[in-house]
Amino acid sequence: MQIQDLPYPDPGVPDARSGPRFLWWLFRNQLGGQLKSLSWGLLHFASVAALPFCVGVAVQAVVDRSGSRLALAGGLLALACVGNAIGDTFLHRTAITNWITAAARVQQLLARKAAHLGAALTRRVAAGEVVAVSTGDVEKIGWFVEALSRFTAALVTIVLVCVGLLVYQPALGVVVAVGLPALALAVLPLLPRATKRADTQREKAGRATELASDTVAGLRVLRGIGGEELFLDRYRSASQEVRHAAVRSARMWSLISAIQVLLPGLLLIAVVWHGVGLAREGRITVGELVTVYSSVMVLTYPLRHFEEIAMAYSFSRPSAKRAAGVLSLQRPTDTAGSRAGEVPSGDLYDPQTGLLAPAGRFTAVVCGDPDAAGLLAERLGGHPSQQGTSVLLGGVPLDELPLASARTAVLVQDKDPVLLSGTLRELLDVPASGAVRPREALAAAQCDDVLAALVQGSLDEADPMDARITERGRSLSGGQRQRLALARSLITDPEALVLDEPTSAVDSHTEARIAQGVRELRAGRTTVVFTASPLLLDRADRVVFLHDGEAVAVGAHRELVRSEPRYLAVVTRETDEEAALDGSVALNDVLHELEEIEEKA
């Protein structure tokens, strides 16, 4: 896989049982790239390791006054330099490719998991945690996967050099062969503590990221209640904890780095001291001493990769654990389904509550518990985040269909829909039947003022469809964002459309026009709206009232207002006691309000 070939057609099925297993799975899926990196790494390190031998031969040739051997040494030196340049260039190229492709694979896996889980993801994992995993953690995972092949090449080179020195000059080769493994293993006792400090830093950074994400998401509300400074102080405190943890982690890694510099220096001193004694005794030549001395100096370079791989693993292991934790999340229902892919039609029925939405009708659902209403709305779309009895569409259990088929048949718009950044044309470019045009959907959702606001806010675009929408639609009001999201849902024109509080942020007159527009545009299609608004309820073909998780009353809105006190209490947002005392007053108020709205609309 090359960078230009990204994204992957299929990133695969990860082994998410643990962090190390996930890292190993990534390595196995990049075996071709890892072998390329290993090959170029061996060429690079072998060329670097050959330089001392060439220098030693040249020095001895000068001592012996041998022109032919000096020329040979020069040729070998030039060849080693060429190999070093080529190996280093392509090692860097393949290593960075491995890094980027590994990170891209993880990001694709996380995006696919987020798409499969939908709103259930943030119920089980904090949004800030998902952001941290898909940004900083992805980079650290890619770092370890990339560094593994370079470390392997460095390790093989060190072993070959130690064996070569034992053969070339056994007296000094023994010192090097014993000293180098001791250098490589000297930092092992410090790694657990360094890893623990790195884990602590990562946990604190993750909590700070979560706090920042949640604060930014709720900034408008925080400003409204005067809580902005309070949450900023909390973030400052969290960021200071991250700084202290980072300093403690850096201290440990700096100690490891210092040891990696000190011990090779001591080995070099030992080699020189012992080699000088051997040279005085005539047991080795000057060229051999220079070769061994230079080899020890050069080997400090591949030895640095032992420190890097330890650091990369220490940082990537908790990152891989977090990524595996997200990737291991599953829906309680099988997203592949046990039935063949099909798009059923017919009545939408929930056996758990008894809710029935007849095919081709506009059904409103009133539920006094907003959380229960949200869970029911999710269940109506099939493959919910919680295990339960499957909803039926035309008698077909949605949970038994493949996820794509269930989503095509039933579209659920929750009470807090998200607008992605981009132009309005891109926002409305969604999978659709083609029967509803964007202009019709925008008109039904009463988006005229939204279009005017987009044109006014855009300096270069006269067509509102080309005007840009900022991230999450932050430049728009809550009601404007809600209406654009409604228009997007209407364009898809699904077999059944489920809307959870689609007009909670608009005024009553706009709400009345939206109710009429949705009713006309969705004529002949199944529409279910969760709401307590009398304006929407009065436009519905039938209203279902849920109490304690069961459908206890069905009928027209005005009939239920007169016959069901509990329904009236929910619609007028009164307690049961208030409804009992002031039921007649509340009834008259509701009917009077409906008449006024109808006259003005």
Side-chain angles (χ1 to χ4, degrees):
M1 173 63 70
Q2 298 297 318
I3 296 177
Q4 62 264 27
D5 298 326
L6 294 175
Y8 287 95
D10 180 10
V13 180
D15 186 349
R17 289 176 290 176
S18 66
R21 288 178 182 270
F22 180 58
L23 291 174
W24 175 243
W25 178 84
L26 283 175
F27 177 81
R28 287 190 290 106
N29 278 269
Q30 285 193 316
L31 194 56
Q34 295 293 339
L35 291 176
K36 289 181 182 179
S37 182
L38 176 61
S39 301
W40 292 117
L42 287 174
L43 175 61
H44 169 58
F45 289 121
S47 300
V48 171
L51 293 175
F53 173 75
C54 299
V55 173
V57 171
V59 170
Q60 191 60 41
V62 172
V63 173
D64 296 339
R65 298 181 182 278
S66 173
S68 60
R69 281 191 293 163
L70 183 61
L72 176 62
L76 292 176
L77 188 62
L79 185 61
C81 289
V82 172
N84 181 23
I86 295 176
D88 190 24
T89 300
F90 285 95
L91 171 62
H92 179 75
R93 181 184 181 90
T94 54
I96 294 302
T97 299
N98 289 338
W99 188 338
I100 294 177
T101 51
R105 186 187 295 273
V106 177
Q107 286 181 325
Q108 280 188 247
L109 290 171
L110 291 171
R112 186 176 68 182
K113 179 60 65 173
H116 275 241
L117 292 177
L121 177 61
T122 52
R123 294 196 188 104
R124 302 169 67 177
V125 181
E129 176 72 5
V130 177
V131 172
V133 171
S134 59
T135 53
D137 284 340
V138 166
E139 181 181 355
K140 293 179 178 65
I141 292 171
W143 176 26
F144 174 74
V145 173
E146 171 269 325
L148 196 56
S149 56
R150 289 190 291 111
F151 163 73
T152 305
L155 177 62
V156 172
T157 302
I158 290 174
V159 172
L160 292 177
V161 169
C162 289
V163 173
L165 289 177
L166 283 172
V167 175
Y168 178 71
Q169 180 42 254
L172 286 177
V174 171
V175 178
V176 177
V178 173
L180 282 178
L183 294 182
L185 301 177
V187 297
L188 285 182
L190 298 177
L191 288 181
R193 184 175 297 180
T195 301
K196 182 178 180 180
R197 292 189 180 186
D199 289 351
T200 301
Q201 176 194 352
R202 174 61 186 80
E203 291 174 3
K204 291 183 179 297
R207 287 197 293 269
T209 302
E210 292 175 24
L211 181 60
S213 176
D214 294 342
T215 301
V216 171
L219 193 57
R220 180 175 296 182
V221 177
L222 292 176
R223 285 174 175 171
I225 62 175
E228 183 179 2
E229 286 299 324
L230 173 62
F231 277 80
L232 288 178
D233 288 340
R234 291 182 181 177
Y235 179 73
R236 291 189 188 101
S237 176
S239 64
Q240 288 302 311
E241 291 182 7
V242 174
R243 183 178 68 85
H244 291 312
V247 170
R248 295 184 72 248
S249 178
R251 285 174 180 169
M252 184 57 64
W253 286 112
S254 64
L255 176 60
I256 293 175
S257 299
I259 292 175
Q260 290 286 313
V261 173
L262 174 63
L263 294 184
L266 295 177
L267 177 62
L268 191 61
I269 293 173
V271 168
V272 172
W273 178 79
H274 185 52
V276 169
L278 294 175
R280 285 179 177 178
E281 296 173 2
R283 297 171 58 183
I284 65 171
T285 64
V286 175
E288 291 174 336
L289 176 60
V290 171
T291 298
V292 177
Y293 167 77
S294 302
S295 296
V296 174
M297 286 194 62
V298 170
L299 285 180
T300 58
Y301 168 56
L303 271 175
R304 300 292 296 181
H305 288 76
F306 285 75
E307 175 195 348
E308 183 189 8
I309 196 66
M311 183 181 294
Y313 181 71
S314 298
F315 280 95
S316 66
R317 186 177 60 83
S319 296
K321 180 180 178 181
R322 290 174 180 270
V326 174
L327 294 175
S328 64
L329 297 176
Q330 297 292 336
R331 283 183 172 272
T333 53
D334 180 16
T335 56
S338 56
R339 290 174 175 261
E342 59 176 303
V343 181
S345 61
D347 297 343
L348 186 64
Y349 176 65
D350 177 34
Q352 186 169 328
T353 61
L355 169 64
L356 174 65
R361 305 287 297 279
F362 184 173
T363 302
V365 181
V366 177
C367 181
D369 185 354
D371 293 334
L375 292 175
L376 176 56
E378 180 191 11
R379 193 164 65 249
L380 289 178
H383 299 275
S385 58
Q386 297 182 6
Q387 189 69 47
T389 305
S390 176
V391 169
L392 306 178
L393 180 62
V396 178
L398 290 177
D399 291 352
E400 296 181 7
L401 294 175
L403 182 61
S405 298
R407 292 291 176 267
T408 302
V410 182
L411 174 66
V412 179
Q413 176 183 303
D414 62 27
K415 64 183 62 178
D416 187 24
V418 175
L419 302 183
L420 301 180
S421 59
T423 64
L424 179 58
R425 192 183 309 277
E426 293 170 340
L427 175 70
L428 301 181
D429 185 16
V430 293
S433 66
V436 179
R437 292 176 295 180
R439 295 290 180 182
E440 296 173 342
L442 291 169
Q446 300 298 310
C447 292
D448 292 343
D449 63 316
V450 183
L451 300 180
L454 289 174
V455 172
Q456 185 177 3
S458 177
L459 300 178
D460 303 325
E461 304 295 343
D463 187 351
M465 298 298 289
D466 296 323
R468 293 197 64 81
I469 298 173
T470 58
E471 180 185 3
R472 299 179 69 90
R474 297 189 189 280
S475 60
L476 303 173
S477 68
Q480 290 173 331
R481 291 196 300 271
Q482 200 172 55
R483 281 176 282 164
L484 283 181
L486 175 59
R488 179 178 59 188
S489 299
L490 292 174
I491 288 175
T492 61
D493 191 36
E495 181 67 27
L497 176 62
V498 179
L499 305 172
D500 189 5
E501 296 288 352
T503 59
S504 59
V506 301
D507 62 82
S508 58
H509 300 295
T510 303
E511 187 177 29
R513 292 193 293 270
I514 290 175
Q516 187 61 32
V518 171
R519 179 184 174 88
E520 293 175 356
L521 191 65
R522 293 285 300 170
R525 308 290 268 174
T526 306
T527 306
V528 180
V529 179
F530 286 81
T531 183
S533 168
L535 300 171
L536 283 174
L537 296 172
D538 196 48
R539 295 298 196 281
D541 295 324
R542 66 200 306 268
V543 178
V544 179
F545 175 54
L546 300 179
H547 184 71
D548 291 337
E550 293 184 4
V552 296
V554 179
H557 168 60
R558 303 195 184 206
E559 295 175 359
L560 294 178
V561 165
R562 294 187 176 91
S563 61
E564 181 56 69
R566 293 172 298 180
Y567 174 83
L568 178 62
V570 173
V571 172
T572 58
R573 295 174 176 82
E574 293 182 343
T575 64
D576 293 339
E577 290 78 5
E578 292 171 334
L581 293 173
D582 303 319
S584 59
V585 177
L587 173 60
N588 292 331
D589 289 343
V590 170
L591 296 177
H592 181 65
E593 179 183 357
L594 289 174
E595 292 173 357
E596 288 185 346
I597 298 270
E598 287 176 349
E599 292 176 359
K600 294 180 179 179

